[in-house]
Amino acid sequence: MTAPFTHLDRRGVLLGVGAYVTWGLFPAFWPLLDPAAPIEVLAHRILWTLVLMAVVLSLLHRWSDLRGLALRHWLTVTAAAVCIAVNWGVFIYGVAIGHVVEIALGYYMSPLVSVLLGVLVLRERPRVLEWVALGVATSAVLIISVSTGSPPWLGLALAVSFGLYGLLKKSVPLSSAAGLTAEGVVLGPLAAVLIVVLQIGGTGTLVNHGAWHIVLLMAAGPVTALPLVLYGAAARRIPLTTLGTLMYLTPTLQFLWGVLVVGEAMPAVRWAGFALVWLALVILTVDLVRAARAGRGRLTERQPVRSTT
């Protein structure tokens, strides 16, 4: 049974804002883990997220969800885990080399990539405005590629990996907590082995850098889980259209961090590319709102939501 949204829940909006602002401030957190290399940071993020989610799932008494999962669903979980690991790794690497603006571009493009995957994989028939949005976004990528001398590979990798992750998650019958735990079960042992290998090889930073460094590495787990908890709580309180609009807070904060804090160059041609991306998102958002009103009758109906982040 689902209940209608009779009014816009302010607490739900605040929870949603909290989730997306937290994700938007991630570029400020990962540099705190220096001198750990991006691959080590990724391994710690996977491992400590698994540890935290294992505790959460134990408190919820939901391990049976994983034990009852069919083999085909485990294979899907494995593929999803690889996609999100690539996404996390590219993000951490992009922050480490000072390409935060390109990271923001990737997350701006994620909804557009999801539309494209729907056409290519699910054989969906896009509406006219969706085609227009995809065309505008393609022009943006071409302009940015010309301005930088190469395609924005980091942004494209983020958008595609996140889009594939969301696509795979749709076919797995798990809650966000159980799903994240299952992905950790797949990747956690590999992450633990990698941490040990790096430590034995002398390139690991878990020890010999003080207790505070250890705390920060372990904090990668809670930092990853916190926005997911906030997002899940928000999704139960506010409509999907509101939640979808709020999602642009994340890449906007990342973009501002890259330009204002990191000081990345933004020549006029690059501004033009980003302007086209923003135009494409406006077109897509307007189209989605119109489709929601026409197809569902009312935006106040609650829909089941599963996080793909």
Side-chain angles (χ1 to χ4, degrees), residues 3-59:
F5 292 107
T6 57
H7 65 282
L8 192 59
D9 189 311
R10 292 184 179 179
R11 182 174 296 179
V13 171
L14 289 175
L15 289 168
V17 169
Y20 288 124
V21 167
T22 303
W23 279 318
L25 293 178
F26 269 13
F29 174 74
W30 303 117
L32 299 178
L33 277 58
D34 287 345
I39 187 65
E40 185 184 6
V41 173
L42 175 61
H44 279 284
R45 184 177 185 182
I46 292 171
L47 178 61
W48 298 115
T49 299
L50 169 60
V51 171
L52 177 63
M53 296 312 300
V55 173
V56 170
L57 217 62
S58 297
L59 293 174

Side-chain angles (χ1 to χ4, degrees), residues 86-164:
V86 170
N87 186 271
W88 288 356
V90 170
F91 187 105
I92 294 167
Y93 175 72
V95 172
I97 64 174
H99 285 204
V100 180
V101 169
E102 191 171 341
I103 287 172
L105 175 65
Y107 286 115
Y108 275 129
M109 292 173 60
S110 289
L112 298 162
V113 169
S114 295
V115 173
L116 183 60
L117 288 173
V119 174
L120 298 178
V121 179
L122 302 179
R123 305 300 181 186
E124 296 176 351
R125 296 181 61 182
R127 296 177 293 275
V128 174
L129 285 182
E130 288 180 320
W131 277 121
V132 173
L134 288 173
V136 173
T138 301
S139 300
V141 172
L142 291 175
I143 289 175
I144 292 173
S145 299
V146 170
S147 69
T148 59
S150 64
W153 294 118
L154 290 178
L156 291 172
L158 281 171
V160 172
S161 61
F162 192 73
L164 289 173

Side-chain angles (χ1 to χ4, degrees), residues 181-196:
T181 307
E183 292 153 16
V185 168
V186 171
L187 296 176
L190 296 176
V193 170
L194 177 58
I195 291 170
V196 172

Side-chain angles (χ1 to χ4, degrees), residues 231-245:
Y231 178 92
R236 291 190 292 271
R237 293 173 175 268
I238 59 178
L240 285 178
T241 47
T242 303
L243 202 59
T245 302

Side-chain angles (χ1 to χ4, degrees), residues 13 24 44 56 78 100 208 219 275 282 287 300 309:
V13 171
H44 279 284
V56 170
T78 300
V100 180
N208 300 327
V282 169
D287 180 65
T300 55
T309 307

